[in-house]
């Protein structure tokens, strides 16, 4: 646990309350004791990942995860030993990336038993939407109601604050006005949309709750965990508010926790940014892989292109997939948008 405590001290500069530190370490120890399912020790070229929404395939009156599981076993299991389920939690916008409840499965998709049944057939990657959550969440309702203990869960800023240096992935306003229970209007940090409220990791209680989300996913069997929009986690006005040192330290902390409670878990950072920024997450040994839209587009292009173009994909997994899954000339493609 020494690595955990050292990182906590670096992130919070000695201000992390002792009682919360004790609780955090106890939660980690409890998760370590209950997780029995071993992970694969190392990822390799055989770990070809199918990326899909949990509601991709539907049947009347059946949970979509049940339908997906059957389709996967019949048609995809021999090709993809690992399935990345994009957010399958209750959500309010952005195709699932505005999570209402981190600990529940969207009823349309099923429940945790459906996830467990799919996990019996394949290894799984979960999305950990760690930067923000839905404005419809209970957490944000507690904040707006000014309930005790929730005041600093999200980031309020005077509207005149100079935030011109902040990197903007979207064209929506960075600050969104919300009315509090006492009638005050506060301007809340919303990197991606007015419905996606950024969490305030400077508040130790936020870290405690988000670590419990990570631990829950590891207990549920996540072999890979993808950290969505991870580069934006820590905010310091006057800076770019992306890839800050404390963000890197938070990722190191998540990595260290996973290593303790579920060795072999692969942590993936979703950073759709220039290459040099991407590799900074590898260079500091925080995670084992990075997730980049452009990389996946290249791999998919190997499958969805003409035979001549597929010939340039080389001899790796993408070439194997394209050989097995050569699409017929009548194939049509569905466009989707992923947050980040």
């Amino acid at each position: 646990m020494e690595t955990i405590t050292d990182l906590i001290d670096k992130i919070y500069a000695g201000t992390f309350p002792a009682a919360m530190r004790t609780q955090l370490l106890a939660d980690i120890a409890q998760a370590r004791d209950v997780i029995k399912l071993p992970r694969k020790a190392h990822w390799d070229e055989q770990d070809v990942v199918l990326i899909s929404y949990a509601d991709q395939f539907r049947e009347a009156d059946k949970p979509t995860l049940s339908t997906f599981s059957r389709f996967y076993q019949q048609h995809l299991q021999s090709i993809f030993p690992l399935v990345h389920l994009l957010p399958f939690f209750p959500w309010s916008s952005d195709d699932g990336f505005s999570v209402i409840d981190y600990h529940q499965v969207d009823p349309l998709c099923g429940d945790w038993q459906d996830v467990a049944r799919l996990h019996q057939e394949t290894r799984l990657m979960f999305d950990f939407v760690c930067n923000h959550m839905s404005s419809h969440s209970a957490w944000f309702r507690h904040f707006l109601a000014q309930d005790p203990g929730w005041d600093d869960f999200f980031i309020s800023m005077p509207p005149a604050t100079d935030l011109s240096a902040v990197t903007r992935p979207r064209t929506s306003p960075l600050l969104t006005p919300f009315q509090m229970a006492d009638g005050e209007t506060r301007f809340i940090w919303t990197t991606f949309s007015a419905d996606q409220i950024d969490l305030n990791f400077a508040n130790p209680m936020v870290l405690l709750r988000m670590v419990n989300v990570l631990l829950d996913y590891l207990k549920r069997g996540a072999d890979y965990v993808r950290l969505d929009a991870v580069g934006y986690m820590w905010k310091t006005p006057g800076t770019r508010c992306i890839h800050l040192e404390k963000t890197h330290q938070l990722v190191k902390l998540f990595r260290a926790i996973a290593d303790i409670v579920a060795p072999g878990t692969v942590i993936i950072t979703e950073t759709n940014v220039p290459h040099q920024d991407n590799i900074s997450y590898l260079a500091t040994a925080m995670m084992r892989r990075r997730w980049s839209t452009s990389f996946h587009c290249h791999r998919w292009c190997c499958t969805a292109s003409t035979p001549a173009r597929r010939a340039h994909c080389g001899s790796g997994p993408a070439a194997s997939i394209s050989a097995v899954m050569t699409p017929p000339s009548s194939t049509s493609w569905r466009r989707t948008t992923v947050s980040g």
Side-chain angles (χ1 to χ4, degrees):
M1 297 285 191
E2 183 177 350
T3 299
I4 304 293
T5 57
D6 287 347
L7 285 166
I8 292 293
D9 288 340
K10 288 179 181 178
I11 296 167
Y12 293 96
T15 64
F16 202 87
M20 287 190 190
R21 182 191 298 258
T22 300
Q23 184 63 58
L24 177 66
L25 297 178
D27 291 342
I28 293 170
Q30 187 271 341
R32 179 191 58 198
D33 292 342
V34 302
I35 293 174
K36 304 300 182 184
L37 184 69
R39 271 63 172 179
K40 182 177 176 179
H42 303 285
W43 62 271
D44 55 38
E45 74 282 358
Q46 300 302 316
D47 292 327
V48 184
V49 182
L50 172 68
I51 304 174
S52 175
Y53 280 99
D55 62 353
Q56 194 79 39
F57 306 105
R58 302 191 183 196
E59 295 177 282
D61 302 320
K62 289 188 178 181
T64 61
L65 274 168
S66 175
T67 303
F68 177 89
S69 181
R70 188 168 67 258
F71 185 90
Y72 169 79
Q73 291 175 59
Q74 291 175 356
H75 302 288
L76 300 171
Q77 192 170 30
S78 63
I79 305 168
F80 299 100
L82 199 150
V83 174
H84 173 193
L85 289 175
L86 292 163
F88 50 85
F89 319 106
W91 58 282
S92 55
S93 64
D94 202 16
D95 287 333
F97 287 89
S98 186
V99 177
I100 293 174
D101 189 334
Y102 290 112
H103 297 284
Q104 298 297 322
V105 176
D106 186 341
L108 173 68
C109 300
D111 55 30
W112 283 113
Q113 289 185 342
D114 293 299
V115 176
R117 281 189 284 269
L118 177 61
H119 196 228
Q120 291 175 358
E121 307 298 332
T122 182
R123 288 178 293 143
L124 292 175
M125 184 192 308
F126 291 4
D127 264 294
F128 183 17
V129 186
C130 52
N131 177 70
H132 52 262
M133 69 184 311
S134 170
S135 66
H136 298 269
S137 65
W139 293 13
F140 194 59
R141 289 200 304 270
H142 284 303
F143 171 81
L144 294 178
Q146 296 177 291
D147 291 336
W150 293 89
D151 186 57
D152 293 323
F153 256 67
F154 305 93
I155 303 168
S156 303
M157 281 283 161
T161 305
D162 181 5
L163 300 174
S164 58
V166 176
T167 297
R168 299 295 296 117
R170 302 277 175 90
T171 58
S172 55
L174 179 59
L175 299 180
T176 300
F178 288 91
Q179 188 173 46
M180 309 299 290
D182 64 1
E184 176 193 3
T185 296
R186 291 193 194 175
F187 289 79
I188 311 302
W189 200 295
T190 52
T191 297
F192 289 92
S193 78
D195 185 46
Q196 293 164 291
I197 315 298
D198 287 52
L199 290 152
N200 181 17
F201 277 92
N203 179 352
M205 181 57 76
V206 171
L207 178 72
L208 189 65
R209 283 185 175 265
M210 293 304 283
V211 166
N212 273 307
V213 173
L214 175 62
L215 294 175
D216 190 25
Y217 295 168
L218 295 175
K219 292 176 187 176
R220 303 282 188 181
D223 300 274
Y224 283 43
V225 177
R226 174 185 176 272
L227 307 180
D228 177 70
V230 65
Y232 300 93
M233 276 197 299
W234 197 276
K235 283 79 172 174
T236 301
T239 72
R240 296 171 60 209
C241 296
I242 187 172
H243 313 314
L244 299 184
E245 179 59 26
K246 288 185 185 293
T247 290
H248 284 274
Q249 290 168 350
L250 284 170
V251 177
K252 287 181 180 180
L253 179 63
F254 293 156
R255 166 79 272 153
I257 291 169
D259 283 343
I260 289 173
V261 305
T265 300
V266 176
I267 299 292
I268 294 183
T269 58
E270 185 247 356
T271 48
N272 293 321
V273 292
H275 177 67
Q276 201 60 38
D277 290 326
N278 260 327
I279 63 174
S280 69
Y281 289 85
L282 286 169
T284 50
M286 292 183 289
M287 37 71 74
R288 293 198 174 112
R289 298 185 73 172
R290 64 179 178 84
W291 197 103
S292 170
T293 299
S294 59
F295 174 81
H296 291 296
C297 287
H298 169 72
R299 290 304 195 195
W300 182 245
C301 190
C302 291
T303 300
S305 302
T306 63
R309 188 164 184 176
R310 284 197 297 274
H312 291 284
C313 291
S315 58
S320 300
I321 296 169
S322 70
V324 174
M325 299 182 65
T326 301
S329 59
S330 59
T331 297
S332 61
W333 304 104
R334 176 190 175 195
R335 293 183 61 187
T336 59
T337 302
V338 178
S339 170

